[in-house]
Every structure is written in structure tokens, then in C-alpha cells.
Amino acid sequence: MHETEGTNMSEEKHAWWKEVVCYQVYPQSFQDSNSDGIGDLRGMTERLPYLAKLGIDVIWLSPVYLSPMDDNGYDIADYRVIDPQYGNLEDFDKMLETAHGLGIKVIMDLVANHTSDEHWWFKESRKSRDNPYRDYYVWKDGKVAEDGTKLPPNNWESTFSGSAWQYDELTDQWYLHCFSVKQPDLNWESPSVRQEVCDLMSWWCDRGVDGFRFDVISMISKDQRFPDGKPKKNGFGEYGPYVTNGPRVHEFVQEMNEKVLSRYDIMTVGEAQGVTLEEARKYANAEGTELDMIFQFEHVSAWKTTAGAYIGKWGVNKPQMPKVRALLNKWQLGLEGYSWNSLFWNNHDQPRAVSRFGNDSPEWREVSAKMLACCLHLMKGTPYILQGEELGMTNMHFTSLDQCRDVEELGIYRQAVEEQGICTHEQMLAAFDNVARDNCRTPMQWDDSAFAGFSDAEPWIDVNPNYQEINAASQVDDPDSVFSFYRRLIELRHSMPIIVYGTYQPLLEDSEAIWAYRRELDGQAITVACNWTSETVDCDLWDERPGTPLVGNYPQHLPGKLQPYEAYVTLG
Ligand code: TEU
Ligand code: CA
């Protein structure tokens, strides 16, 4: 959709959303303006000049709608109201206007696979079996055990632990919640639900927003047989195959596209867990009948089942570069000519990139954060930065359960440690240290004053104790900072069409240490090599064709070598 005619520079059709860098704001942790310890829209508005300085083009704003905040706003109680903790619609409009004034677009996070149980649709739906809103949600009869105990309709486990079904006494039925019990799944089989979603999207577009990030869009169409899933070691079953990329998902997305998305000049990105290349080519097809791009998750979840995983994603296992590289190479090559990629290491559900993929020890933190940025930002696709990533913010390194806020963490702790004894308290905290979502939800580190300049009051979640060393104030004017390095990468993308539209070819695919690739466009080439280890390694990529240095994270590149976590890029 919205593609302008390609120029003679490349076969790739040009579009503004292919040329942008997107920055995710997690509003609860970005900037507090009224000293209640919670980030808000006015605070965010004050910080927009910082984002303009960084040079990003688009903000993905995590949910700010009315919500009981069971899952930090991913549980929406009214899609047309701003939650009072964030402000009101006037504050929103002011933020949007200020962003637009700075040349920054804003896309909304649209969570429409489920609502909050406090949404009035659900309050109605639950009242009686014949309520007009009954079919807005997925209600089913349960099973009955031999001893008369009521059992859920099937064995599916919720993403946040426990059964994915909740019994409701009033009507003696169960409702489906793939996430928390306060997040009932909408029933997209109902044409009224689909119309409601279209209406609210139009409402936000008419207000001036520039697009949407669709939460778990791959889950909106459920297999209507609702069969039991493959048993897991905790006794529950996997809902995956019956929920992800379900039978009518493309039909539903096409309907939204036809009725709303195609009518505005907006950008759309769908969160698509469990997506295959084949499915992605449909969701993000080049004809533009569905979405502009999707997030795939293979490179951030491939090691879920390897040694060191206790249950699901929870464990102390670490990603290996060759595996991560093989997966991203697969997506780079596999979507070429079919679909546009989105590029990310981080989002509000993932641990911090520098801690997970780089090295967050004081010695290597900055250089490895820059290497990761370089490796990702010069690939083909639209890059996404999570707030604080541009400062090299690290994981929290939790020492106590009291520091955890996330419904997912509390759920898995209760189930795996307290109820089922699958792992010990110490093991679970080690897993939290490795993969917990709260790692990346700690307050933005603006400066070295109390609470990192995020708030004057005790924040809703602890500030990472390293804020005195890692903060924006110390980086924005330092030409060697991680911030300045991100800024340079963004500038390069804006000024060099090859970075946006060039083809991608993997190099040195057998190397255990170096992730390298070449981009090409109209006879021009750039060569990128990133050392993912803390050792100096040999690199012969430039022996015959030295090229001109374009960007790097060391003051001096040594010919034939890559220093620890060095990223080196040449042109020509
Ligand atoms: O996430 C969906 C999702 O399945 C995961 O990324 C999930 O958070 C992770 O796998 C847990 O292990 C989206 C949102 O990004 C997330 O914040 C919400 O909690 C979730 O949907 C429910 O809305
Ligand atoms: Ca506040």
C-alpha cells in the first residue's frame, strides 16, 4: 500500500516506511511529569526534542488507552480513552502535534486480539448467554471429570501460566484468555467485533496518528474446533498451532486493510509470533493487501528449548551468534522480492540487547552495544530501537522477587516454583536475570540525579542502579557515545539509499566470531563485518578490496583484524 513508483535506483519499490527508523516508547517508563512515579504523555512530550536529536522518524507508542494495567496497558478497557495515569486526549493531541512539528510520526499500539475484562463489551458479554455482546468473546462449555469436578474445554496453557480458560459461574461457561485472566480473547469470527476494530482504527487515523503496531496479530483467528494441544512437561497443552496463523487470519487482516488501512497514508507492522517465511510473505505481501511488515521472533527465541531452559523461555541459556545470524540471514534472503523486513534486537518483551547478545561488563558494554547497532541497522528492513537501547542500557540484574512487576514473571514464578517445583527460587531468579520482560521496562536513564531524572518520586519499578554511569545527559554531546553512534547510523540510513534499498548478501557464513554481509545497489557496495567476541580475530574480507571506511566503533581499524566487538564498514 501507499507505494510510490520506484525510481531507477533499484527494483525495490520505494515507500516512506521503508526509509524510516522507528523508536519504541514504553510510556510508563519514559518520563514522569507529575511526580507520581509513572511516565505520562506530558513527560513524553517534553522529551521529544531528545528524539529529534537522535534523528528517529517514527515513534511506536506502547498502549496509553484506559486500562486496569494488569499487563501494563496491553489490557484495554476503552480504546478511545487515554488512561488517567498517562493524561487525557488533550495531552495526547499535544504530544502528537509536537511530534509532527519535529517531523516525527507516531504509530499506536493496537491490542485487538483481546481486551481487558473491564472493557464494557466484556462486562456485557459475561452477563448472560443471550447478551448481544456474548459472541464478542470466546465462551465454551467445559468438561466434567468423573468425580464431578468442572474442567476447562481443553488443555491450553495461557502465555502467562495456568489454564487459558476461566470459569464464570454466572453462566456456567468458560472464556478463553491466551494471556492473563484479565485479558479475554475477542472472538474475531463475529463480524461485529471486526467492525468495532475497524471503527476504532478509523477513529485514531482521523485524529492524525500515522499507523499501527498490531499486537499478536497472528493470533486473531482460532481453530474453531478448539482441540487439546501437545502436552508440555507441566501438564498443560500448547495452543500454538490452533491459535497462531489460524484459518481466517489473512481474510481478517485483508478486511481491515480494505476498510481502513488502505484509506490512509499510514505505516503498519504486525507482531507475528510463530510466523514462517511463507506466512510472512502473505502478511506483508508486496501488493499491500495486508500489512507493511511484521515482526518475526525466531532470532530472539531460537534457544528456548536448548539446554539451560527449565520451562518455555525460562532458563539461563544464551544465544549463540552463528544461530542468530543463520536465522536473520534466512529472513533477509527469504523476504527479498516478497516482503519488507522489520529489524530489532529489543522490544518491551525482551531482555536488553547489550546484556543478551553483547557484553554488558564495564569493559565491553559500549563497544558491544555499538557493534550490535551497526550489525542490525545496516541490514535491509526498517530498524526499531527500544527506548534506552541507544544509550546501551543493560538488564536489571534482579536480586529479589520484590523487584519484579510483570504479570508474566509473577505467573511463572507461582506456577513453576511454588506449585510445581519445576525449578528453585534461585534458578527462577537466574532465568529472570536472563530473559524477564522487566529488564527492559526499568525507567529511562536521563541523567545522574535521583531516579535518573525520570521522576522526582519513587518510580513504579526500580531504576537500574547503573544510571550514574549510563544516562542520556552524559552521552548526547559526546561524539564517542553509544547515543552518537546510533545517531550516525540513522544519518547514514537517511543519506544512503543503498542502506535502505540495497540487496543483502551474507559473507563468512562459517565464521564462529564474525557476522559479515554486503549490501549492493546500482554498482555501489558496502561491506559490514562485526566481531561478536571479546577476542581479536583475523578477518581477510578487505585484503583485496580495502574500500573506504564508512563507519566503525574503534578509533583505529587494524588491517586484517577485527578487535573485540569491533564493527567495521567500508564503501566500495
Ligand atoms: O506479546 C505477545 C507475546 O506472545 C510475547 O511477545 C510475549 O510477551 C512473550 O512471549 C512472553 O513470553 C504482546 C505484547 O507485546 C506483550 O507485551 C503483551 O503482554 C502480550 O502481547 C499480550 O497483549
Ligand atoms: Ca506521571
Side-chain angles (χ1 to χ4, degrees):
M1 87 193 82
H2 333 302
E3 276 160 339
T4 47
E5 278 304 298
T7 71
N8 60 2
M9 285 200 301
S10 144
E11 288 171 28
E12 183 82 47
K13 273 203 232 163
H14 286 204
W16 66 260
W17 44 265
K18 294 180 178 175
E19 300 174 5
V20 299
V21 176
C22 194
Y23 185 96
Q24 184 185 357
V25 169
Y26 195 69
Q28 193 149 0
S29 303
F30 196 57
Q31 179 65 56
D32 178 21
S33 73
N34 62 347
S35 309
D36 63 357
I38 305 173
D40 47 56
L41 286 166
R42 288 187 182 199
M44 175 181 169
T45 307
E46 285 165 26
R47 293 296 189 180
L48 291 174
Y50 166 86
L51 297 184
K53 177 155 188 179
L54 179 60
I56 55 99
D57 310 277
V58 177
I59 291 170
W60 150 20
L61 179 59
S62 276
V64 289
Y65 318 91
L66 185 69
S67 168
M69 303 288 164
D70 185 53
D71 186 18
N72 291 356
Y74 284 85
D75 47 324
I76 301 174
D78 192 324
Y79 292 89
R80 293 176 177 81
V81 174
I82 299 291
D83 194 90
Q85 85 173 25
Y86 295 126
N88 54 35
L89 275 171
E90 215 178 300
D91 298 325
F92 180 88
D93 290 342
K94 184 81 207 305
M95 181 281 293
L96 188 62
E97 192 192 319
T98 312
H100 285 167
L102 292 164
I104 296 174
K105 297 182 192 284
V106 179
I107 68 172
M108 301 297 278
D109 206 320
L110 193 78
V111 189
N113 171 70
H114 45 270
T115 67
S116 164
D117 65 341
E118 296 181 33
H119 195 296
W120 61 270
W121 298 338
F122 190 73
K123 290 185 187 161
E124 284 299 313
S125 185
R126 144 184 266 180
K127 283 183 184 163
S128 67
R129 291 191 183 208
D130 57 9
N131 186 283
Y133 288 89
R134 186 68 170 180
D135 80 336
Y136 270 43
Y137 295 87
V138 184
W139 291 99
K140 294 272 170 246
D141 290 332
K143 294 178 179 162
V144 184
E146 275 174 21
D147 68 357
T149 320
K150 289 179 186 296
L151 298 173
N154 67 28
N155 69 356
W156 294 358
E157 184 182 29
S158 129
T159 304
F160 296 154
S161 306
S163 171
W165 299 92
Q166 177 69 16
Y167 181 64
D168 211 39
E169 209 153 337
L170 191 62
T171 54
D172 189 29
Q173 278 196 317
W174 300 68
Y175 69 84
L176 177 67
H177 61 91
C178 288
F179 295 92
S180 96
V181 70
K182 288 183 65 60
Q183 292 170 299
D185 281 60
L186 282 164
N187 172 26
W188 280 66
E189 300 293 318
S190 154
S192 320
V193 164
R194 304 201 298 274
Q195 192 55 49
E196 296 272 12
V197 174
C198 284
D199 291 347
L200 68 93
M201 289 192 305
S202 304
W203 190 86
W204 281 102
C205 288
D206 293 339
R207 217 171 178 95
V209 307
D210 303 288
F212 301 100
R213 173 262 185 192
F214 290 92
D215 194 63
V216 288
I217 198 68
S218 57
M219 290 172 61
I220 58 176
S221 163
K222 275 84 179 173
D223 183 328
Q224 293 301 299
R225 295 168 299 169
F226 295 94
D228 275 339
K230 193 171 131 208
K232 306 185 191 184
K233 66 177 165 195
N234 62 9
F236 289 103
E238 285 174 10
Y239 66 63
Y242 312 105
V243 167
T244 312
N245 306 312
R248 297 181 68 189
V249 69
H250 296 289
E251 175 196 332
F252 295 160
V253 177
Q254 282 163 22
E255 182 180 334
M256 289 195 285
N257 179 295
E258 198 183 302
K259 289 193 176 158
V260 184
L261 309 177
S262 60
R263 301 179 191 264
Y264 297 88
D265 183 20
I266 56 173
M267 154 173 166
T268 54
V269 50
E271 190 199 22
Q273 279 77 10
V275 72
T276 57
L277 273 180
E278 195 191 350
E279 287 292 332
R281 289 170 179 178
K282 295 185 199 160
Y283 285 117
N285 67 71
E287 290 71 45
T289 62
E290 296 195 18
L291 304 172
D292 293 334
M293 62 191 113
I294 52 119
F295 293 121
Q296 61 79 24
F297 289 87
E298 289 187 336
H299 67 299
V300 290
S301 33
W303 47 91
K304 261 190 192 173
T305 52
T306 61
Y310 319 134
I311 179 94
K313 76 173 189 181
W314 305 100
V316 291
N317 40 10
K318 292 281 177 198
Q320 300 300 311
M321 183 282 280
K323 178 80 186 161
V324 181
R325 177 184 58 196
L327 287 166
L328 278 192
N329 281 348
K330 175 186 116 181
W331 282 90
Q332 288 284 300
L333 299 173
L335 291 193
E336 181 71 45
Y338 293 95
S339 299
W340 190 249
N341 267 296
S342 59
L343 306 170
F344 72 98
W345 295 133
N346 258 160
N347 64 35
H348 67 292
D349 296 331
Q350 303 290 330
R352 287 281 177 189
V354 68
S355 302
R356 180 185 237 182
F357 298 107
N359 185 330
D360 69 7
S361 69
E363 190 180 8
W364 302 120
R365 185 186 63 81
E366 290 189 40
V367 74
S368 69
K370 292 174 187 172
M371 180 279 286
L372 290 171
C374 189
C375 189
L376 191 78
H377 279 244
L378 298 182
M379 286 185 204
K380 186 166 185 177
T382 298
Y384 290 74
I385 301 169
L386 171 68
Q387 66 185 43
E389 181 185 334
E390 78 283 9
L391 304 174
M393 275 178 63
T394 70
N395 274 358
M396 179 64 180
H397 301 308
F398 296 104
T399 50
S400 141
L401 192 62
D402 297 340
Q403 295 171 307
C404 299
R405 297 285 178 274
D406 182 11
V407 60
E408 182 182 42
E409 286 149 38
L410 304 178
I412 191 68
Y413 187 90
R414 196 171 48 243
Q415 183 170 303
V417 180
E418 295 177 350
E419 291 167 16
Q420 300 191 319
I422 287 176
C423 62
T424 64
H425 167 83
E426 287 71 27
Q427 285 176 316
M428 191 47 90
L429 275 191
F432 285 178
D433 192 34
N434 193 31
V435 286
R437 306 196 298 181
D438 278 336
N439 277 307
C440 62
R441 298 178 178 186
T442 60
M444 180 72 177
Q445 291 165 209
W446 293 107
D447 58 41
D448 63 4
S449 69
F451 309 126
F454 161 73
S455 175
D456 315 330
E458 181 80 31
W460 69 277
I461 188 171
D462 287 354
V463 174
N464 192 314
N466 63 22
Y467 73 95
Q468 278 162 331
E469 294 85 64
I470 307 172
N471 61 64
S474 67
Q475 295 197 27
V476 281
D477 296 320
D478 171 0
D480 293 326
S481 65
V482 179
F483 177 92
S484 296
F485 193 80
Y486 268 87
R487 196 177 166 193
R488 169 100 175 107
L489 290 170
I490 297 168
E491 264 169 24
L492 283 175
R493 178 168 282 265
H494 288 158
S495 59
M496 297 182 70
I498 184 175
I499 296 177
V500 179
Y501 294 110
T503 55
Y504 177 96
Q505 293 137 37
L507 301 172
L508 307 181
E509 283 178 274
D510 294 330
S511 171
E512 294 286 317
I514 304 172
W515 183 330
Y517 54 88
R518 181 165 290 138
R519 304 288 308 276
E520 280 181 21
L521 184 73
D522 298 332
Q524 209 185 27
I526 57 177
T527 305
V528 180
C530 299
N531 178 1
W532 278 57
T533 74
S534 56
E535 312 287 322
T536 296
V537 294
D538 292 330
C539 180
D540 60 10
L541 271 182
W542 288 279
D543 287 2
E544 282 168 22
R545 220 169 125 186
T548 328
L550 184 66
V551 60
N553 59 352
Y554 269 78
Q556 182 94 50
H557 170 72
L558 310 176
K561 306 263 177 231
L562 283 175
Q563 298 160 85
Y565 299 108
E566 180 171 1
Y568 183 61
V569 184
T570 60
L571 182 63

